[in-house]
Amino acid sequence: MTETTSPEDDIVPPQEVPEMDLYHPHSFLTRWIFSQDAKVIAIQYSLVAISIGMVALVLSWLMRLQLGFPDSFDFIDAADYYQFITMHGMIMVVYLLTALFLGGFGNYLIPLMVGARDMVFPYINMLSFWIYLLAVLVLVSSFFVPGGPTGAGWTLYPPQAILSGTPGQEFGIILMLASLMLFIVGFTMGGLNYVVTILQARARGMTLMRMPLTIWGIFIATVLALFAFPALFVASLMMMFDKILETSFFMPAMIEFGEKMSYGGGSPILFQHLFWFFGHPEVYIVALPAFGIVSDLLSVNARKNIFGYRMMVWAIVGIGALAFVVWAHHMYVSGMNPYFGFFFATTTLIIAVPTALKVYNWVLTLWRGNIHLTLPMLFALAFILTFVNGGITGLFLGNVIVDIPLSDTMFVVAHFHMVMGVAPIMVIFGAIYHWYPLLTGRMLHNGMGQFHFWVTFLGAYAIYFPMHYLGFIGVPRRYFELGETTFIPDSAHDLNAFITVAALVVGFAQLVFLFNLFWSRRNGIVAERNPWKATTLEWQTEHMPPTHGNFGKDLPIVYRWAYDFSVPGAESDFIPQNMATKDVKLAEGMTVADLKAEKT
Amino acid sequence: MSFFSEIASKPWTDEQIKVDDQFKGHTFTLPKAMLGLRVLLVVVTMFFTLLAIAYSGRMTFEDWQSLPEPGLLWFNTGLLLVSSVVFRWTKSATQQGRNGKVKLGLFLVGALAFAFLIGQLIVWQQLADLGHFASANPANGFFYLITGLHGLHLLGGLVAWGRTTLRVMRGKIGQEKLLLSVEMCALYWSFLLVVWLAMFLLLLVT
C-alpha cells in the first residue's frame, strides 16, 4: 500500500528539541531517596499522600461511630470530635487530594505525556517533595502536643480558632498554620515546574492542542493553585500574627472570662474572604485534573475520540477563570449585601455551564463507542454519575435563598462529599488501575478490583444519599451529638446508624485496595506493553516501566493528537501519537487517502 | 501565535496537522529559568496584591490609626532604587563582557541591598521605641507584616545574588550562563523595587 503514500508524508521532521541536562544518580540514596527523577518524586508524593489520607479515613470512622452510636464510645468526647472533623477535612482536601493529583499524577504524567525527559527544574522538584513531607510531619506532630490538634473546623475561622474553648488552641492551631504555609511553599516549587515543563519542554510536534486532556487538566489546575494558594498563605500568616504577636487583623474586641482581651477591631470576615478566595479555586484544583484524567479514561475505553476536544479545553480554561469569582457563595450565612449575594449566586450558576458541557461531552463520547467495561472505565462511569449528583445539589446551594436554611445541615456535607470527595476519588482509583501497569509492569488483580469498585461505588451512595435527606429535615452538621431534639425523629437516628455501618464497610473495601496494590506488585499478571491500547506517549517509551530519562536515545516526535481511536482505514483501532502516517498499518484494501478522508 | 488563537485550532484536520508537525516544542522563546522566574513573579504579585487588598479593607474600620512615617524610609527607598539601577548597569556590563565592571556592579548591588535591609530594621527599632508595637494597632501590624515580607523576598534574592557573585569571583561561569543569571537577578530586583514603591505609596497615602 505504500505506493499510495504522497511524498509529503515521507518527510520526518528534524528533532530540533534540545536535550536536557539530566542529573544521573550514583547511589541508592540519590536514586530512591533524594531523587531528582520526577517519576520517583511522584511515587514519594503519592505514598505520603495516601498514608496521611489513611489517617484521615480513620478519623472519619471515629466521627461516624460517634454520630451513629452516640454515648457508646468513652474515648470520643466533644473536643476529640471537633479535632477529628478539622483534621479529616484539611488532610483530605489539601494533603491528600491536592498533593496526589498535582504532586503525584502531575509529576509522573507531565514529563511522560508531553514527551520530556524530566521536569525542567529537577532539583527544585525534589525540594518540593521534601518540604511537602515536612509539612505533613508538622501536621502530624500536632496530634502529640499538649491540647492536641486544632479543632477549629477545616476552615479555621477566627476568632474561635485561636480562642480558649476551641481544642488545640495552645499549639495545634500554630502547627496547622505553619504546616499550611510549608505546604504552599513546597507546592509553589512544584507548580513552577509543572507550568514551565508543560509550556517549554514538550516534544517536537506536541502543540498545546495535541496534548491529552489529562495534561490540560493538571496544567490549568496548577495555574489556579499558583494564584489561589497565596491567599491561604496570607490568611495563615496573619492569623499566626494574631495568635503569637496578638495583632488584631482578624480579631474583634472581645471579653473572655469577664476580662477584656487585648484584641480589638479586627475583621473575621476578612479572613473568610481570604480563605474562600483560596478555598473555592481549591475545589477546581482537585476537580480539573480529575476532569482531564476521566476524559482520557473514557476515550481509551470507549475506543473513540473524545467528543468535542476543543470544547473540553475551553471548558477547562473557562472553569479555571470563573473559579476565582464565585468564592463568596461559601459565605452567604455570614451575611452580605444582597447585591453581593446576587452577584455570587449568578457567577455560581454560570460556572455550571462549562461544567455541564463537559458532562455532555463525556456522555457523548460513550455514544456508539466500543465500550470496554474495564476497571478504569467502571470508575470513570461512576465518576460521571457521582459528579452529576453532587453538581446538581450544588446548583441548589448556589442560590442564596436555598442555601441559608440548608447551609448548616448535613445536606451540605452530602453535597461536597459527593462532588469533591467521592467524584475525584473515583477518578484517582480509575487512574491508579489504569497506570499501575506502567509503574510496575503488572496488572492489579481484577477480582479484588471488582470487589473494591462495587463496594466503594454502592457504599458511597449508601452513605451520602440518606445524608441529603437528613439535611432536608434539618439535622445540623458539626454537632457532636443531637441529644433530645424534638424536630429530629427517631428514624433520623436509625439512618445515622445505617450510614455509619456503610462508612465502615466502604472503609474496609479500601484496605482490600491497598492490599491489592502491594500484592499485585509481585503477584499480578505481567502486563503487556500498552495494555489498554492507549495513544498517549507514556505508553510508547522504550522500557516499561519507563527508566531514568523516560524515552530511549531519541525523544519522541509527535504526529497527531491524543485521540486517534478507531480511525477508519487503519488496521489497529488506535494510532499512537508518535506514529507517522506512513508507518500506520492499513486495513485490507485501504489507502492513506482513506485514512485522511474519514478524519475531516 | 497567541494562546487564544492556538486553542482555537483544530488539531485533527489535515491543514492543522501540517502546521502542528512543524512545532518545535516550546511555547515561548524564553530560557526555561527565565519563564520560571516570571511565573514566580506573577505568584508574588498575587501575594502582595492580596495583602494590599486586605490592608485597604481593614483600613475602613474606625479604630484605624495611621502610623508615622520615619524619614529613614525615604532614605531606604533611595537605597533600593539605586541598587536596582546599578543592577541594570551591571546587566549591560555583562552584555558587553566587561568582567571587572560586572564584579564591581555585583558588589555594589549587594552592599546597597544589605544597607536597605539594615535600614528597614532600624525603622522597626525606631517605631518600637515610639511604642508602635505590632499589636498596638492594625496599621502597625500591617506595616511590620508588609515590610517584613518584602525584606524576606529581598533576602531570597540575595541568595541568588550570592550564588552568582561567588561563581563570578571563582571565574567558573560561562558568559551565556552569567548573562542569564544577572538578567534574572536584575529583573527580580526591579520587581521588588516596584513592589516596594507600591507598598510604600500605600503606607504613605493612608
Side-chain angles (χ1 to χ4, degrees):
Chain A
M1 304 285 163
T2 42
E3 67 276 8
T4 54
T5 311
S6 59
E8 57 193 275
D9 290 322
D10 281 332
I11 301 164
V12 175
Q15 187 63 249
E16 285 190 26
V17 176
E19 276 294 337
M20 274 183 183
D21 295 330
L22 279 187
Y23 174 84
H24 295 290
H26 301 291
S27 66
F28 179 82
L29 207 63
T30 48
R31 188 182 298 265
W32 298 113
I33 311 294
F34 295 101
S35 174
Q36 301 190 19
D37 186 327
K39 296 188 291 300
V40 179
I41 296 172
I43 292 168
Q44 290 173 325
Y45 250 115
S46 306
L47 291 180
V48 175
I50 292 173
S51 309
I52 192 71
M54 288 305 291
V55 174
L57 182 69
V58 172
L59 292 176
S60 74
W61 291 347
L62 294 172
M63 278 189 281
R64 275 319 315 179
L65 284 176
Q66 170 60 32
L67 288 176
F69 309 99
D71 304 326
S72 314
F73 301 96
D74 294 337
F75 57 90
I76 307 173
D77 64 19
D80 294 329
Y81 182 77
Y82 291 120
Q83 292 170 329
F84 299 160
I85 290 192
T86 308
M87 298 305 272
H88 169 80
M90 195 60 102
I91 291 174
M92 286 296 193
V93 172
V94 175
Y95 299 85
L96 172 69
L97 286 174
T98 309
L100 193 54
F101 269 123
L102 299 179
F105 289 109
N107 263 317
Y108 204 91
L109 295 175
I110 291 171
L112 277 163
M113 282 185 136
V114 303
R117 294 213 182 274
D118 207 326
M119 288 288 180
V120 287
F121 313 122
Y123 183 76
I124 295 178
N125 206 22
M126 175 184 79
L127 276 186
S128 159
F129 166 71
W130 287 97
I131 296 177
Y132 165 64
L133 180 63
L134 184 64
V136 170
L137 292 178
V138 169
L139 186 79
V140 171
S141 72
S142 73
F143 281 101
F144 303 102
V145 294
T150 176
W154 91 279
T155 54
L156 305 177
Y157 277 6
Q160 47 91 12
I162 57 180
L163 288 182
S164 57
T166 304
Q169 173 260 353
E170 304 90 338
F171 299 105
I173 183 71
I174 295 177
L175 289 171
M176 169 63 87
L177 296 173
S179 169
L180 284 174
M181 286 192 274
L182 282 169
F183 180 91
I184 294 164
V185 170
F187 171 78
T188 305
M189 292 177 164
L192 289 178
N193 256 304
Y194 314 153
V195 169
V196 178
T197 305
I198 291 172
L199 287 176
Q200 296 298 78
R202 278 169 283 151
R204 166 142 196 134
M206 181 67 94
T207 52
L208 285 178
M209 292 304 270
R210 278 178 172 181
M211 295 197 304
L213 286 168
T214 298
I215 298 301
W216 268 107
I218 293 175
F219 176 47
I220 300 296
T222 307
V223 173
L224 247 62
L226 286 173
F227 280 122
F229 272 122
L232 182 64
F233 194 97
V234 169
S236 303
L237 190 64
M238 285 162 71
M239 178 132 67
M240 190 82 115
F241 268 49
D242 277 2
K243 170 72 189 154
I244 296 177
L245 300 178
E246 299 194 351
T247 53
S248 298
F249 292 121
F250 304 134
M251 302 296 284
M254 270 171 299
I255 292 174
E256 191 177 56
F257 302 124
E259 283 191 29
K260 193 174 176 302
M261 298 184 75
S262 59
Y263 295 118
S267 163
I269 299 287
L270 177 59
F271 177 88
Q272 294 188 16
H273 280 296
L274 285 170
F275 183 86
W276 288 113
F277 187 77
F278 144 78
H280 196 82
E282 171 64 28
V283 175
Y284 291 100
I285 292 166
V286 172
L288 290 180
F291 290 172
I293 291 171
V294 88
S295 308
D296 285 350
L297 296 185
L298 288 169
S299 177
V300 168
N301 286 292
R303 313 309 295 162
K304 237 185 99 187
N305 61 332
I306 190 81
F307 188 90
Y309 173 80
R310 287 197 308 163
M311 299 291 167
M312 293 301 247
V313 172
W314 297 347
I316 289 177
V317 175
I319 291 170
L322 286 169
F324 283 100
V325 289
V326 298
W327 79 88
H329 69 213
H330 296 269
M331 298 162 56
Y332 290 153
V333 288
S334 303
M336 63 174 72
N337 184 316
Y339 291 109
F340 214 46
F342 176 75
F343 172 80
F344 281 103
T346 309
T347 52
T348 304
L349 299 185
I350 289 174
I351 206 168
V353 175
T355 316
L357 191 151
K358 295 192 78 73
V359 174
Y360 287 125
N361 282 0
W362 289 322
V363 175
L364 286 167
T365 302
L366 299 173
W367 176 251
R368 304 187 68 182
N370 175 11
I371 292 175
H372 293 43
L373 283 179
T374 60
L375 280 167
M377 184 61 153
L378 288 176
F379 278 105
L381 297 174
F383 162 82
I384 299 181
L385 278 179
T386 316
F387 185 72
V388 168
N389 255 306
I392 284 178
T393 50
L395 286 179
F396 298 178
L397 294 171
N399 293 286
V400 187
I401 201 97
V402 186
D403 179 76
I404 286 176
L406 284 175
S407 186
D408 285 323
T409 70
M410 283 300 208
F411 189 86
V412 172
V413 178
H415 156 69
F416 70 72
H417 275 89
M418 275 295 209
V419 81
M420 81 168 295
V422 180
I425 287 201
M426 288 290 169
V427 178
I428 287 181
F429 287 140
I432 291 177
Y433 283 99
H434 182 78
W435 278 298
Y436 188 84
L438 183 68
L439 264 77
T440 62
R442 287 173 191 269
M443 310 294 280
L444 280 164
H445 187 269
N446 190 51
M448 280 192 263
Q450 294 279 347
F451 172 81
H452 174 226
F453 169 73
W454 288 106
V455 175
T456 308
F457 175 55
L458 298 177
Y461 276 77
I463 298 171
Y464 295 109
F465 253 13
M467 221 181 259
H468 289 92
Y469 171 72
L470 287 180
F472 267 137
I473 62 170
V475 175
R477 59 180 171 137
R478 308 192 189 99
Y479 277 34
F480 168 62
E481 56 188 351
L482 297 171
E484 302 288 322
T485 315
T486 46
F487 68 89
I488 296 172
D490 283 344
S491 58
H493 296 287
D494 296 342
L495 206 50
N496 250 332
F498 169 78
I499 293 173
T500 299
V501 173
L504 292 174
V505 171
V506 171
F508 168 73
Q510 308 319 308
L511 299 182
V512 174
F513 169 68
L514 286 184
F515 174 75
N516 196 357
L517 286 184
F518 288 103
W519 185 85
S520 300
R521 177 88 186 77
R522 294 258 168 275
N523 307 306
I525 301 168
V526 176
E528 341 161 9
R529 292 301 312 263
N530 198 355
W532 315 108
K533 301 191 168 34
T535 57
T536 39
L537 293 179
E538 82 274 22
W539 298 101
Q540 326 299 338
T541 55
E542 198 176 61
H543 302 279
M544 188 174 117
T547 47
H548 186 60
N550 291 349
F551 299 97
K553 196 164 66 56
D554 295 315
L555 283 166
I557 296 177
V558 172
Y559 296 93
R560 57 194 70 248
W561 69 336
Y563 299 98
D564 267 350
F565 289 107
S566 309
V567 178
E571 191 184 58
S572 159
D573 71 346
F574 73 107
I575 308 176
Q577 283 193 277
N578 59 346
M579 186 178 276
T581 303
K582 70 181 174 56
D583 297 326
V584 177
K585 274 209 187 107
L586 299 171
E588 282 282 309
M590 291 289 177
T591 63
V592 172
D594 293 319
L595 212 58
K596 286 184 166 177
E598 288 292 335
K599 269 202 335 195
T600 40
Chain B
M1 205 160 44
S2 82
F3 178 76
F4 288 104
S5 64
E6 193 159 343
I7 65 169
S9 68
K10 298 178 177 174
W12 56 87
T13 59
D14 277 343
E15 302 73 53
Q16 190 61 36
I17 284 173
K18 282 185 196 128
V19 177
D20 285 353
D21 278 350
Q22 301 307 313
F23 178 70
K24 289 177 188 157
H26 49 83
T27 303
F28 301 103
T29 46
L30 268 181
K32 287 164 190 158
M34 187 57 110
L35 181 66
L37 177 66
R38 290 195 184 179
V39 176
L40 179 69
L41 295 188
V42 174
V43 176
V44 179
T45 308
M46 194 74 196
F47 183 72
F48 280 100
T49 308
L50 285 164
L51 275 173
I53 291 171
Y55 182 91
S56 19
R58 184 64 188 76
M59 234 170 65
T60 53
F61 290 72
E62 68 269 19
D63 63 331
W64 184 271
Q65 295 161 12
S66 293
L67 211 61
E69 287 101 17
L72 190 55
L73 275 179
W74 287 98
F75 180 72
N76 289 348
T77 308
L79 284 178
L80 195 62
L81 183 74
V82 176
S83 175
S84 195
V85 170
V86 175
F87 229 140
R88 295 266 136 187
W89 175 79
T90 314
K91 191 176 111 180
S92 52
T94 320
Q95 277 160 345
Q96 294 155 7
R98 295 184 185 170
N99 260 352
K101 276 191 178 174
V102 174
K103 280 181 195 170
L104 175 70
L106 283 174
F107 175 74
L108 271 176
V109 164
L112 286 164
F114 276 114
F116 170 80
L117 287 178
I118 293 167
Q120 294 289 78
L121 287 177
I122 296 174
V123 170
W124 281 11
Q125 188 62 49
Q126 287 178 349
L127 285 173
D129 286 344
L130 290 172
H132 295 286
F133 301 110
S135 57
N137 189 273
N140 304 8
F142 270 108
F143 179 81
Y144 286 105
L145 186 68
I146 289 174
T147 48
L149 285 171
H150 179 264
L152 277 178
H153 279 84
L154 187 58
L155 263 183
L158 279 169
V159 172
W161 165 86
R163 275 178 52 145
T164 311
T165 310
L166 269 181
R167 283 186 185 167
V168 173
M169 291 299 172
R170 291 190 191 141
K172 267 191 191 169
I173 187 167
Q175 189 61 26
E176 211 171 305
K177 266 197 161 172
L178 174 67
L179 184 60
L180 181 61
S181 293
V182 172
E183 271 179 347
M184 283 172 59
C185 285
L187 174 64
Y188 189 70
W189 246 250
S190 314
F191 170 77
L192 281 189
L193 175 69
V194 173
V195 169
W196 173 249
L197 290 177
M199 292 295 143
F200 189 39
L201 190 71
L202 190 67
L203 297 172
L204 278 183
V205 297
T206 55

